[in-house]
Amino acid sequence: MARETKFERFQVRQMTGPIGAEITGLDLARDRSPETMADLKRAIHRYHVLAIRDQKMELEDVHQVRAALGPFSGNPVHEPIDGYDDLMILNREPDETGKVIGEDWHMDLAWLAKPPGITMLYGHDVPPVGGDTCFTSLEWAYRSLSPAMKAMIEDFVVVHSGKGVLGQQYGSVKMRADVHKIASFEVEHPLVCKDPVTGERYLFISSVIDRIKGFTPAETRPIVDYLFKVATRPEFNCRLRWAPGTLGMWLNPCVMHTAINDYPGYRRTMYRSTIEGWTPIAASGTRVAA
Ligand code: SIN
């Protein structure tokens, strides 16, 4: 399915068939006009992952782009940096070992009633090799299911929980003092959702699914494991190769992503912010109470 769309304010090159686009010819330190922001939003709902190349941004610029795109989503997990409630730094030192933050397929803050709509990550210090981020399209995953499977899951409601998020400490990334509160967070989201802008259907799945409503945990597991396996198939993926000055953005509820832990001996420093999203909308029109 060709998904090329024309944009007047920048050039777009698709990364893979389903997902991802590189954006060139745009300087966000100079142009944050409503027209450019509207085009970026159109592009992100189209391609789901954008790699905006050759930016020169300090913390203030990342903050300004976030503000131009929309309100901050909030982040009950990570400590913001001094002076900016909406920014955090993901830093990995050359001698750090163990898991990197964001390793393993996940959606950001899926256990909130309104998960972030857009996550932004700016490559300040990027390893010369490795440190990519992989993304997968939950729209294409949904499309690949059989009509019988689509009919079966159409009205499923899934409970996502903050329980599993705690206990994961990643090197120098700082957690909020009150982070323990998220263990009690639980939210119901429809499994088959629609993008409020394009109307396209996607599978709303995450790594923190506790159960399908009305199903036992034993009944839930094989269904969710199967959908997770489909959703992470390589043909639905793209790989964002960071360079210094790349501003990445992804349409968080429509993708899952995973950081790649393959750059021992190198520093990686990324500035991160998140933009308010929407209450997930059931594709069937069935409402789920928030
Ligand atoms: C994240 O999961 O938000 C971080 C991804 C990355 O650092 O590549």
Side-chain angles (χ1 to χ4, degrees):
M1 186 181 313
R3 306 184 87 212
E4 285 292 352
T5 304
K6 288 260 172 284
F7 291 90
E8 279 173 22
R9 290 170 182 81
F10 43 77
Q11 287 77 54
V12 173
R13 202 182 64 180
Q14 268 185 262
M15 289 187 197
T16 65
I19 186 171
E22 285 198 313
I23 306 288
T24 52
L26 179 62
D27 179 358
L28 286 168
R30 296 156 70 104
D31 179 6
R32 294 191 288 268
S33 64
E35 294 78 13
T36 298
M37 295 300 116
D39 259 8
L40 273 182
K41 284 186 188 169
R42 204 156 57 87
I44 201 165
H45 280 273
R46 187 76 165 170
Y47 300 107
H48 292 178
V49 176
L50 305 180
I52 308 170
R53 302 296 190 189
D54 307 320
Q55 304 303 300
K56 283 198 184 59
M57 301 178 97
E58 297 303 330
L59 290 166
E60 177 62 22
D61 301 297
V62 179
H63 165 76
Q64 292 294 342
V65 172
R66 194 283 302 151
L69 280 169
F72 175 46
S73 68
N75 178 348
V77 180
H78 304 109
E79 191 64 35
I81 59 171
D82 281 350
Y84 292 99
D85 284 351
D86 60 338
L87 297 186
M88 60 169 289
I89 295 184
L90 300 186
N91 185 55
R92 170 94 163 177
E93 289 299 319
D95 58 353
E96 278 185 51
T97 54
K99 283 191 131 182
V100 297
I101 189 165
E103 190 174 331
D104 296 327
W105 290 106
H106 66 285
M107 182 187 291
D108 292 330
L109 308 182
W111 39 273
L112 291 181
K114 236 194 226 186
I118 297 175
T119 300
M120 291 170 47
L121 205 57
Y122 177 72
H124 181 266
D125 218 336
V126 170
V129 287
D132 298 358
T133 311
C134 276
F135 295 88
T136 200
S137 167
L138 298 179
E139 227 178 74
W140 279 57
Y142 174 76
R143 284 190 206 136
S144 75
L145 299 174
S146 66
M149 178 61 109
K150 285 179 179 161
M152 182 178 91
I153 65 172
E154 173 86 354
D155 291 318
F156 279 13
V157 171
V158 170
V159 180
H160 302 249
S161 152
K163 261 191 310 225
V165 180
L166 287 178
Q168 300 174 3
Q169 179 59 53
Y170 300 96
S172 44
V173 176
K174 291 200 188 85
M175 300 294 212
R176 296 181 76 105
D178 61 354
V179 71
H180 59 276
K181 286 186 186 163
I182 65 173
S184 61
F185 283 31
E186 270 202 347
V187 69
E188 293 179 0
H189 290 313
L191 177 59
V192 182
C193 291
K194 64 179 173 196
D195 179 322
V197 173
T198 63
E200 294 285 348
R201 288 170 169 238
Y202 61 95
L203 264 185
F204 191 116
I205 60 168
S206 79
S207 54
V208 294
I209 291 177
D210 191 62
R211 59 195 181 276
I212 299 170
K213 202 173 169 186
F215 284 66
T216 66
E219 289 165 341
T220 296
R221 221 52 266 163
I223 302 172
V224 169
D225 288 350
Y226 174 73
L227 293 175
F228 209 89
K229 197 167 149 198
V230 170
T232 53
R233 279 195 350 220
E235 62 267 38
F236 305 142
N237 299 172
C238 73
R239 191 162 170 140
L240 198 169
R241 171 82 203 112
W242 297 95
T246 296
L247 176 67
M249 289 186 190
W250 56 93
L251 194 66
N252 178 54
C254 298
V255 303
M256 284 199 292
H257 61 283
T258 175
I260 309 290
N261 185 355
D262 64 347
Y263 54 97
Y266 294 113
R267 174 174 294 115
R268 185 177 186 267
T269 308
M270 315 293 276
Y271 301 160
R272 182 177 184 276
S273 191
T274 43
I275 293 151
E276 190 177 86
W278 59 90
T279 304
I281 306 162
S284 63
T286 312
R287 275 194 62 80
V288 174

